[in-house]
Amino acid sequence: MCQDAWTTPVVISGYLATGHISGAITQIVCLAVDALIYVGFFKKADKKKIQEGLAMENK
């Protein structure tokens, strides 16, 4: 059973939960995949804001 607090940093908690480096590596991979997924949404939102700003300048 894992006895670490929920505030334990990501990589450390993965190691403590599994007792092996594979838990930490799994958390790193998941964090990287999550970041790549969110980048697309941030880029789309940024493009929309830029287009809105250009539309406001043209009025």
Side-chain angles (χ1 to χ4, degrees), residues 2-41:
C2 180
Q3 296 296 323
D4 58 336
W6 66 272
T7 56
T8 306
V10 173
V11 178
I12 297 169
S13 68
Y15 178 77
L16 292 175
T18 61
H20 196 267
I21 192 72
S22 64
I25 292 171
T26 301
Q27 283 188 332
I28 291 169
V29 169
C30 288
L31 189 61
V33 170
D34 290 344
L36 289 174
I37 290 170
Y38 273 94
V39 164
F41 289 105

